[in-house]
Amino acid sequence: MRIELKEFIERVVEDLIRKEDDLGLPIQSTWERIYYEFEDFMEEVEESYFEEELEEFFGGVHTMKEIKEYTMECFYDVLEKYEIKKIEMKYKL
């Protein structure tokens, strides 16, 4: 998988985590949505990002299975980075 695609997926996951956190929802619900409702997750991605940008990254090269697998793999890494940023902002480190 290209580095650009990985970075894009990580950005999407972080955006989703931030959105759920801002709404006061448990962050685990983000993981559950990605895992159990991946088609809905992908629809949200398509609605949230420019169509051209998606074509460049997804462009038929990767299967949805590969994208889902990487999304699940990176979720906890992205969550950890998000929580660290949140703590740093709170305490202005």
Side-chain angles (χ1 to χ4, degrees), residues 31 66 68-78:
W31 183 91
E66 289 174 312
K68 181 177 182 179
E69 287 173 358
Y70 184 70
T71 303
M72 298 307 298
E73 287 174 16
C74 79
F75 179 82
Y76 287 104
D77 292 335
V78 171

Side-chain angles (χ1 to χ4, degrees), residues 11-91:
R11 187 177 82 207
V12 169
V13 170
E14 183 177 358
D15 288 349
L16 187 59
I17 288 170
R18 182 178 297 111
K19 184 175 156 183
E20 298 283 316
D21 191 32
D22 289 347
L23 293 172
L25 299 172
I27 293 178
Q28 190 62 26
S29 68
T30 305
W31 183 91
E32 291 171 357
R33 180 162 5 123
I34 294 169
Y35 186 79
Y36 294 111
E37 302 169 11
F38 190 69
E39 292 79 21
D40 294 339
F41 168 74
M42 288 305 296
E43 284 179 20
E44 184 173 329
V45 169
E46 290 171 3
E47 292 172 3
S48 301
Y49 296 91
F50 295 112
E51 193 69 34
E52 300 83 33
E53 190 175 6
L54 289 176
E55 275 302 311
E56 177 185 336
F57 288 118
F58 297 132
V61 175
H62 301 285
T63 65
M64 283 299 138
K65 182 180 178 195
E66 289 174 312
I67 293 168
K68 181 177 182 179
E69 287 173 358
Y70 184 70
T71 303
M72 298 307 298
E73 287 174 16
C74 79
F75 179 82
Y76 287 104
D77 292 335
V78 171
L79 178 59
E80 182 178 349
K81 289 176 189 175
Y82 172 77
E83 289 177 339
I84 289 171
K85 281 185 201 177
K86 196 173 167 182
I87 290 170
E88 288 174 346
M89 289 176 61
K90 182 176 181 179
Y91 295 107

